[in-house]
């Protein structure tokens, strides 16, 4: 009888194997934190345009999460040639420093969205969210017509930004003061489009530079 067969029939053996596996995985993740000088890449002033999300982008991100978009779209391009040729430069950890929670994901029923910002026009994104198959006939993505009917709740935007500031997102008093006005009268569709259009646009990559060093 193989180890797999025995572990499937013995709950204590299976528990032991799982415990060892989780211990090894934890060590692999934790140990580097004690000897790496920084877990994020260092960018020059010319490269680094990373900023907190605007009020409208933040509301769009919340709708993106609410609708479960992350279940079909990852936001992490791995450092492989095929990924770079299809999606663009591989993702950097520093690009997600203001994401709580980050949206890296691992499922790609649809394409990765880490660099979708600016790839299509606002109108294309609008039509695609309203009726994906009108633009991509083979798409299995559902329609989201209610996003155009729902307006953003401007009364909670400032509170969301203040909550994020507690975990280190550097919003300012001027950001808080203008939050409600920035999203007033905007639809959830407007917000999602604003969020999608900023993804992957905050780093000006230098050709040939290895950011993993």
């Amino acid at each position: 009888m193989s180890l797999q067969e025995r572990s499937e029939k013995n709950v204590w053996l299976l528990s032991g194997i799982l415990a060892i596996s989780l211990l090894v995985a934890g060590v692999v993740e934790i140990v580097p934190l004690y000897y790496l000088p920084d877990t994020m890449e260092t960018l020059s002033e010319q490269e680094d345009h990373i900023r907190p999300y605007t009020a409208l982008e933040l509301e769009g991100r919340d709708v993106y999460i609410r609708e479960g978009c992350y279940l079909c779209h990852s936001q992490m391009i791995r450092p492989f040639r095929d990924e770079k040729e299809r999606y663009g430069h591989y993702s950097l950890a520093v690009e997600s420093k203001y994401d709580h929670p980050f949206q890296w994901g691992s499922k790609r029923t649809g394409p990765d969205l880490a660099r979708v910002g600016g790839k299509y026009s606002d109108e294309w994104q609008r039509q695609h969210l309203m009726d994906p198959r009108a633009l991509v006939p083979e798409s299995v993505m559902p329609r989201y017509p209610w996003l155009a009917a729902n307006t953003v709740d401007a009364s909670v935007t400032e509170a969301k930004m203040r909550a994020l500031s507690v975990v280190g997102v550097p919003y300012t008093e001027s950001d808080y003061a203008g939050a409600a006005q920035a999203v007033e009268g905007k639809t959830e569709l407007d917000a999602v489009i604003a969020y999608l259009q900023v993804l992957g646009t905050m780093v000006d990559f230098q050709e040939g530079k290895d950011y993993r060093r």
Side-chain angles (χ1 to χ4, degrees):
M1 184 182 295
S2 68
L3 176 62
Q4 178 180 340
E5 291 175 319
R6 280 186 286 143
S7 65
E8 289 176 349
K9 296 179 179 180
N10 188 324
V11 67
W12 298 112
L13 177 60
L14 179 61
S15 298
I17 294 173
L18 285 172
I20 293 172
S21 300
L22 292 172
L23 178 62
V24 172
V27 169
V28 169
E29 290 186 351
I30 295 171
V31 168
L33 300 178
Y34 287 94
Y35 67 82
L36 289 175
D38 196 349
T39 56
M40 293 190 181
E41 303 83 2
T42 301
L43 302 176
S44 67
E45 290 185 8
Q46 291 73 28
E47 297 168 317
D48 190 356
H49 305 289
I50 299 173
R51 57 165 176 76
Y53 294 115
T54 65
L56 188 61
E57 292 163 359
L58 181 62
E59 289 290 357
R61 185 176 188 273
D62 284 351
V63 174
Y64 178 96
I65 294 172
R66 185 196 72 196
E67 297 297 339
C69 302
Y70 61 91
L71 296 173
C72 291
H73 295 282
S74 62
Q75 287 185 31
M76 183 180 68
I77 304 170
R78 294 167 291 189
F80 305 132
R81 187 178 68 177
D82 62 320
E83 299 242 335
K84 180 179 179 180
E85 289 179 352
R86 182 175 183 184
Y87 299 120
H89 197 285
Y90 59 81
S91 298
L92 305 182
V94 71
E95 293 181 89
S96 300
K97 66 180 180 180
Y98 297 140
D99 283 346
H100 300 280
F102 57 76
Q103 297 298 303
W104 293 347
S106 60
K107 190 73 168 65
R108 286 182 180 168
T109 301
D112 185 275
L113 300 180
R115 308 243 173 269
V116 75
K119 187 174 182 180
Y120 306 100
S121 67
D122 287 358
E123 184 56 32
W124 189 96
Q125 292 287 8
R126 186 176 302 277
Q127 292 183 28
H128 186 248
L129 286 163
M130 294 293 287
D131 186 6
R133 276 161 294 285
L135 297 175
V136 186
E138 66 275 17
S139 176
V140 296
M141 177 175 159
R143 299 171 64 245
Y144 293 92
W146 57 87
L147 297 184
N150 296 344
T151 55
V152 174
D153 184 357
S155 66
V156 298
T157 306
E158 179 183 341
K160 292 179 180 180
M161 297 171 80
R162 289 189 180 277
L164 286 170
S165 71
V166 174
V167 292
V169 180
Y171 285 118
T172 65
E173 288 300 326
S174 62
D175 292 327
Y176 304 141
Q181 184 178 0
V183 301
E184 187 69 42
K186 298 292 186 180
T187 66
E188 291 184 341
L189 185 60
D190 295 328
V192 173
I193 292 172
Y195 172 63
L196 292 174
Q197 291 292 40
V198 79
L199 293 179
T201 65
M202 296 189 189
V203 176
D204 187 7
F205 290 99
Q206 293 184 18
E207 188 66 31
K209 180 175 178 179
D210 186 356
Y211 291 87
R212 291 175 293 170
R213 293 182 178 178

